[in-house]
């Protein structure tokens, strides 16, 4: 690999976050910084970025505030890891997976009804697999271990508290919470997760709105392995993924249930605004789910092992920040790249995908010696040509559709009532036609057919 | 470095967050959550302060598996001069642990230890160590005043809230409580340097014939607490339900956070007052 040259920062458009902001430290950037690349956050995005850059020979520091990568990380529970196919061939032989998801169900809940579309595929239980349940402390530590094996220096129990800027205002490292904790680098990749403090400090977020976030809360419930398999009709390492629409007392969001080897994860995802207005606690809504007649038998007798909660950047493209500035790239949840589109909640694969793109861009920019915003333009190009920004662009209408009042509060009831009407035999009354039943129940639940058609059309355009 | 006083510190590599099965009591340990207890961290801080005051050097020792070297690297990052791991299988009796630690710390003027290990050890290693080294022992300390080289004044906790101040002359073994000092944070450069620093490994010597030998150690069991029994007038099924708390609808403590920061703060204060924290 050619020696990395000292980057000349070509003048670009004025930096939005200028030196002199309260928490920015202005330093003399050394000719040879401590590292070529400092990646902040050893979640999936950071580990992937560090792995790619370290493999290419860059001197990489992967900084993590937790005592080990993944120690502080939570999510629902399913990773779609095909994005690793090239980076770690046959990753499935070594990744710390709990179960391979072979059963995927979408459940529409009302207080007393449940409509489930249940799909199973044995192909998903064989290489290259589809989704896997995994614990994040295991998965993130494994991925960061790959970066370390490739030569990255992983520094744990250390929090980046601010950005370092040179005299010209360009980012040239991070300040940490350790004494003498400045770490200089040619380039910083912020992978510090949702609500990214570094991206905000760099001025990359222009408008923040609580409506762009949801709160995910989950319980892990211990259940003997054979009981998990019996209740979810699984065998061996097969796993189940239930995505739930409704069942949140009308608060925009939904729920989920995932199976691990000898535990299950059950949780809710809730719009912050709705949660605030409803004045309920998330664990009460999880308790509601656990009491639901369809779910209660699945969780009966299971012991609470862990409770956790975390924000999700929900609004996709609408909230995405600028992705780069002089001396810095942003990836993963820090750049709001989690895909939350109703039937899909995929964040880890989007984090890895953007982390890989950030790592590749960093290698290119450091080698070329141009880490200016202009020199980092390849990052957006990479994201636009792979699934990360293409899926976000395609599904840009999904977050507002999914979180809309009708989808959240009226359609679950309408759908369940309609299905109930279709399958209820009321002899000696003759059967009602489906269309008549639809009209009747739409009217009863306050849905105008015009709105139904409009939403159907939006859904078709969004998901079609 | 001959002539500089040596301050030893003993640290145990323990699981800081062991997972205990509530039904069977089985303990599941996870190496990723291992580290030094607060008491051992306080011991390290006191050792560093003493060495600074006396222009001495600190030797950190841990008897444990290779994974314990991570802990010793953390010690090196905080400023320890030498780090030694003694290869010892877990579960060795306190006297054995003390004797292998003593092999490394023969020259130490003072040895600092935590007062208890987090994994519910006997707390006896410091006393055995003092015996092995022929040193004075001052155990269960809440405060140390470091004077001229070789002299210390320490405060020891006694029963019923009493305290005792002791003048200590070296050589001595001290054990300290976790709250007696907060371990300094290692600088970033030191953390990076410690990654490649040398941790010496000493082989544990074959188990000697100790005069004391644990014959049987019962697992830890919390003391039973007196609880009011179920109402004797009830039928047996209801008494059983009352005893076990089964089938009782539980509602988590409920506090609805309001939009108004002042009001929320007032609520918090009110609750703290109700619990007796603010008088
Ligand atoms: C309830 C819930 C359910 C979810 N379910 C799924 C799911 O089933 N499948 C899926 O694919 N995605 C899911 N997601 C989304 C997914 O978890 C995220 O999209 C993904 O974790 C983003 O990865 P990341 O690396 O960008 O950020 P994170 O995973 O958040 O990692 C950020 C890292 O940075 C570290 N860090 C933060 N600040 C600093 C700092 N200042 N200094 C040093 N280190 C720092 C953190 O400790 C952490 O390790 C879910 C999220 C939630 C909250």
């Amino acid at each position: 690999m050619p020696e990395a040259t000292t980057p000349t920062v070509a003048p670009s458009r004025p930096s939005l976050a200028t030196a002199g902001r309260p928490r920015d430290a202005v330093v003399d950037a050394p000719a040879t910084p401590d590292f070529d690349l400092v990646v902040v956050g050893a979640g999936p995005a950071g580990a992937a970025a560090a792995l790619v850059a370290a493999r290419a020979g860059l001197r990489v520091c992967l900084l993590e505030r937790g005592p080990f990568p993944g120690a502080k990380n939570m999510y629902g529970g399913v990773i779609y890891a095909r994005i690793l196919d090239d980076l770690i061939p046959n990753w499935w032989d070594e990744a710390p997976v709990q179960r391979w998801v072979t059963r995927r169900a979408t459940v529409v809940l009302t207080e007393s009804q449940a409509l489930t579309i249940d799909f199973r595929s044995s192909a998903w239980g064989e290489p290259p697999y589809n989704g896997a349940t995994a614990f994040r402390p295991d998965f993130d530590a494994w991925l960061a271990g790959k970066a370390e094996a490739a030569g990255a220096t992983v520094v744990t129990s250390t929090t980046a508290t601010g950005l370092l800027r040179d005299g010209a205002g360009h980012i040239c490292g991070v300040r940490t919470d350790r004494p003498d904790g400045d770490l200089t680098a040619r380039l910083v990749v912020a992978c510090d997760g949702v609500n990214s403090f570094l991206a905000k400090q760099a001025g990359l977020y222009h408008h923040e709105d609580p409506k762009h976030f949801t709160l995910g809360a989950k319980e892990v419930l211990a259940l003997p392995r054979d009981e998990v398999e019996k209740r979810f009709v699984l065998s061996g390492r097969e796993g189940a993924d239930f995505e739930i629409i409704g069942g949140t007392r009308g608060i925009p969001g939904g729920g989920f249930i995932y199976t691990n080897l000898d535990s299950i994860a059950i949780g809710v995802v809730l719009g912050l605004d709705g949660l605030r207005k409803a004045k309920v606690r998330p664990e009460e809504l999880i308790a509601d789910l656990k009491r639901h007649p369809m779910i209660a038998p699945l969780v009966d007798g299971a012991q609470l092992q862990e409770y956790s909660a975390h924000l999700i950047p929900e609004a996709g493209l609408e909230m995405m920040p600028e992705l780069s500035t002089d001396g810095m790239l942003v990836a993963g949840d820090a750049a709001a790249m989690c895909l939350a589109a109703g039937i899909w909640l995929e964040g880890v694969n989007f984090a890895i995908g953007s982390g890989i793109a950030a790592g590749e861009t960093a290698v290119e920019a450091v080698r070329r010696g141009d880490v200016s915003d202009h020199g980092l333009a390849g990052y957006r190009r990479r994201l636009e040509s792979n699934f990360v920004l293409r899926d976000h662009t395609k599904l840009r209408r999904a977050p507002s559709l999914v979180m809309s009042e009708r989808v959240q509060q009226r359609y679950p009831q309408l759908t369940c009532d309609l299905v109930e009407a279709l399958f209820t035999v009321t002899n000696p009354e003759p059967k009602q036609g489906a269309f008549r039943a639809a009209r009747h129940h739409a009217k009863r639940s306050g849905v105008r057919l015009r709105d139904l058609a409009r939403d159907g059309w939006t859904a078709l355009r969004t998901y079609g | 470095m001959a002539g500089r006083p040596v301050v030893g510190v003993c640290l145990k590599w323990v699981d800081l967050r062991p997972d205990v099965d509530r039904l069977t009591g089985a303990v599941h340990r996870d190496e990723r959550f291992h580290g030094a207890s607060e008491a051992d961290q306080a011991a390290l801080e006191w050792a560093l302060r003493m060495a600074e005051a006396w222009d001495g050097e600190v030797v950190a020792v841990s008897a444990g598996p290779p994974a314990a070297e991570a802990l010793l690297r953390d010690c090196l990052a905080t400023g320890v001069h030498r780090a030694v791991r003694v290869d010892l299988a877990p579960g060795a009796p306190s006297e054995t642990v003390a004797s292998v630690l003593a092999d490394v710390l023969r020259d130490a003027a003072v040895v600092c230890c935590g007062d208890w290990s987090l994994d519910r050890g006997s707390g006896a290693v410091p006393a055995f160590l003092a015996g092995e080294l022929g040193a004075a022992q001052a155990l269960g300390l809440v405060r140390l005043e470091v004077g001229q080289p070789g002299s210390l004044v320490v405060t020891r906790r006694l029963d019923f809230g009493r305290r005792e101040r002791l003048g200590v002359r070296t050589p001595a073994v001290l054990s300290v409580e976790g709250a007696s000092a907060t371990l300094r944070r290692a600088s970033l450069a030191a953390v990076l340097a410690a990654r490649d620093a040398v941790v010496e490994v000493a082989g544990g010597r074959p188990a000697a014939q100790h005069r004391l030998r644990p014959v049987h150690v019962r697992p830890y069991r919390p003391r039973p607490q007196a609880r009011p029994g179920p109402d004797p007038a009830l039928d047996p099924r209801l008494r059983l339900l009352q005893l076990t708390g089964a089938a009782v609808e539980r509602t988590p403590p409920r506090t609805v956070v309001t939009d108004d920061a002042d009001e929320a703060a007032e609520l918090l204060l009110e609750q703290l007052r109700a619990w007796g924290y603010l008088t």
Side-chain angles (χ1 to χ4, degrees):
Chain A
M1 168 213 100
E3 253 306 89
T5 48
T6 306
T8 49
V9 180
S12 58
R13 60 174 171 64
S15 186
L16 284 158
T18 50
R21 278 169 164 266
R23 280 175 305 196
D24 285 11
V26 180
V27 295
D28 290 331
T32 310
D34 299 321
F35 289 94
D36 293 324
L37 187 65
V38 169
V39 180
V40 180
L51 172 56
V52 168
R55 273 200 191 153
L58 256 52
R59 294 175 306 125
V60 179
C61 177
L62 178 58
L63 205 65
E64 170 55 45
R65 63 181 171 180
F68 63 86
K72 297 180 86 75
N73 298 350
M74 74 80 75
Y75 77 140
V78 180
I79 293 175
Y80 301 93
R82 292 293 309 276
I83 179 67
L84 290 176
D85 284 3
D86 289 338
L87 199 60
I88 306 171
N90 296 344
W91 53 269
W92 48 82
D93 287 337
E94 47 171 314
V97 160
Q98 290 280 311
R99 288 179 181 274
W100 301 106
V101 174
T102 53
R103 179 178 178 199
R104 188 167 170 151
T106 303
V107 185
V108 181
L109 279 192
T110 70
E111 246 174 64
S112 59
Q113 302 153 303
L115 168 69
T116 306
I117 300 166
D118 197 342
F119 178 75
R120 305 185 74 123
S121 167
S122 41
W124 288 352
E126 292 163 14
Y129 300 101
N130 183 40
T133 55
F135 292 128
R136 290 291 298 279
D138 299 342
F139 185 83
D140 291 11
W142 168 74
L143 198 54
K146 292 276 167 204
E148 192 164 29
T153 301
V154 180
V155 177
T156 54
S157 299
T158 306
T159 304
T161 54
L163 293 168
L164 301 180
R165 289 178 186 273
D166 63 16
H170 304 304
I171 293 166
C172 61
V174 292
R175 176 155 285 178
T176 72
D177 62 342
R178 290 194 175 272
D180 300 325
D182 287 359
L183 208 52
T184 54
R186 296 177 203 279
L187 184 65
V188 172
V189 183
C191 300
D192 50 340
V194 59
N195 215 7
S196 166
F197 161 73
L198 292 183
K200 284 187 199 170
Q201 200 187 340
L204 300 179
Y205 274 97
H206 295 296
H207 59 285
E208 290 175 56
D209 186 342
K211 289 200 185 73
H212 290 160
F213 297 92
T214 50
L215 178 75
K218 81 162 180 180
E219 289 182 1
V220 176
L221 306 171
L223 209 57
R225 183 172 174 168
D226 55 345
E227 203 54 36
V228 172
E229 284 156 16
K230 213 158 54 194
R231 293 184 191 189
F232 289 85
V233 200
L234 306 167
S235 63
R237 297 291 293 277
E238 287 177 347
D241 163 351
F242 288 18
E243 302 293 335
I244 300 168
I245 302 167
T248 54
R249 300 193 199 172
I251 300 171
F256 56 83
I257 304 176
Y258 304 128
T259 55
N260 300 314
L261 270 180
D262 50 12
S263 64
I264 51 184
I266 178 164
V268 286
V269 170
L270 305 160
L272 285 190
D273 213 34
L275 183 63
R276 184 182 59 89
K277 284 188 189 134
K279 296 198 191 305
V280 270
R281 296 166 60 106
E283 67 266 28
E284 289 179 49
L285 297 168
I286 299 180
D288 280 0
L289 275 191
K290 291 197 295 186
R291 270 196 298 264
H292 191 280
M294 178 233 157
I295 296 170
L298 298 175
V299 299
D300 184 34
Q303 285 283 330
L304 178 64
Q305 217 172 27
E306 188 184 295
Y307 176 82
S308 53
H310 201 272
L311 283 182
I312 304 176
E314 185 86 21
L317 273 192
E318 197 189 329
M319 71 183 293
M320 238 174 239
E322 288 181 56
L323 301 177
S324 62
T325 183
D326 298 323
M328 187 168 113
L329 294 169
V330 197
D333 272 14
M337 280 174 188
C338 179
L339 182 77
I343 50 173
W344 293 300
L345 174 51
E346 299 175 23
V348 173
N349 48 333
F350 280 73
I352 297 174
S354 56
I356 292 173
E360 288 169 353
T361 309
V363 172
E364 198 178 78
V366 168
R367 280 186 184 158
R368 237 193 1 245
D370 180 4
V371 295
S372 68
D373 192 17
H374 183 257
L376 299 171
Y379 180 45
R380 176 171 277 279
R381 275 201 302 276
R382 283 186 167 86
L383 295 176
E384 280 169 347
S385 67
N386 74 14
F387 70 101
V388 176
L389 283 186
R390 278 167 79 168
D391 281 356
H392 268 291
T393 307
K394 182 171 160 47
L395 293 165
R396 66 190 175 283
R397 290 185 204 90
S400 54
L401 175 69
V402 168
M403 290 303 215
S404 71
E405 190 259 356
R406 281 192 295 276
V407 171
Q408 289 290 330
Q409 296 186 7
R410 299 190 193 274
Y411 292 164
Q413 190 69 55
L414 167 62
T415 321
C416 287
D417 285 351
L418 185 58
V419 174
E420 187 164 335
L422 285 177
F423 292 127
T424 304
V425 180
T426 54
N427 297 157
E429 293 284 318
K431 294 202 187 319
Q432 215 181 13
F435 187 69
R436 244 185 87 196
R439 262 209 352 227
H440 169 73
H441 287 288
K443 199 168 167 197
R444 225 178 66 171
S445 46
V447 175
R448 286 184 304 187
L449 288 181
R450 203 177 344 133
D451 290 334
L452 190 62
R454 190 168 347 117
D455 289 340
W457 174 239
T458 311
L460 204 67
R461 279 202 304 160
T462 304
Y463 296 107
Chain B
M1 292 226 222
R4 292 174 75 192
V6 171
V7 182
V9 56
C10 305
L11 303 105
K12 186 169 184 182
W13 171 248
V14 282
D15 194 341
L16 305 174
R17 283 174 45 179
D19 185 19
V20 183
D21 186 310
R22 279 184 281 175
L23 200 59
T24 62
V27 181
H28 171 74
R29 298 184 198 285
D30 185 340
E31 215 155 67
R32 294 172 305 183
F33 290 106
H34 276 53
S37 68
E38 299 226 332
D40 285 4
Q41 289 184 33
L44 173 56
E45 177 60 28
W46 283 118
L48 291 165
R49 287 186 202 174
M50 256 177 256
E52 276 160 11
W54 296 347
D55 188 25
E57 64 170 289
V58 181
V59 179
V61 196
S62 184
E69 285 171 27
L71 162 63
L72 289 165
R73 282 183 203 290
D74 288 347
C75 294
L76 286 165
T78 59
V80 158
H81 300 82
R82 232 184 106 202
V84 185
R85 178 177 71 83
V86 184
D87 213 18
L88 192 70
S94 300
E95 203 173 357
T96 308
V97 176
S99 61
V100 298
L101 294 174
D103 284 348
V104 181
L105 296 169
R106 293 268 168 231
D107 301 332
V110 176
V111 179
C112 299
C113 307
D115 59 346
W116 291 97
S117 62
L118 264 189
D119 51 358
R120 297 202 181 281
S122 63
V125 168
F128 278 120
L129 189 55
E132 282 274 345
L133 296 173
Q137 54 175 298
L139 309 182
L141 306 180
V142 292
R143 193 158 167 236
L144 280 77
E145 293 153 59
V146 183
Q148 292 303 309
S151 94
L152 291 155
V153 177
V154 301
T155 307
R156 177 156 73 165
R157 183 195 293 281
L158 299 180
D159 288 347
F160 305 111
R162 288 176 304 149
R163 300 279 187 276
E164 178 180 59
R165 283 185 88 218
L166 300 167
V168 179
R169 282 238 293 268
T170 59
V173 175
L174 314 175
S175 79
V176 298
E177 289 190 3
S180 63
T182 305
L183 178 61
R184 65 196 60 189
R185 200 147 160 70
S187 75
L188 189 59
V191 170
L192 290 170
R195 293 167 55 87
D196 304 319
V198 178
V199 172
E200 298 168 39
V201 181
R205 57 180 153 117
Q209 283 303 313
H210 297 305
R211 276 169 295 175
L212 288 178
R213 186 174 57 88
V215 181
H216 174 66
V217 182
R218 281 205 197 153
Y220 168 76
R221 289 279 176 268
R223 285 196 192 155
Q225 289 172 2
R227 298 205 173 224
D231 183 350
L234 294 175
D235 73 54
R237 185 180 153 273
L238 288 177
R239 286 213 306 273
L240 208 63
L241 281 179
Q242 254 192 24
L243 262 178
T244 56
V248 175
E249 189 82 23
R250 288 183 185 79
T251 321
R254 186 192 164 98
T255 312
V256 176
V257 177
T258 67
D259 290 343
D260 185 326
D262 287 344
E263 202 182 324
E266 198 42 54
L267 271 177
L268 287 173
L269 290 172
E270 214 175 273
Q271 189 60 55
L272 289 171
R273 262 183 232 114
W275 284 333
Y277 288 112
L278 306 174
T279 44

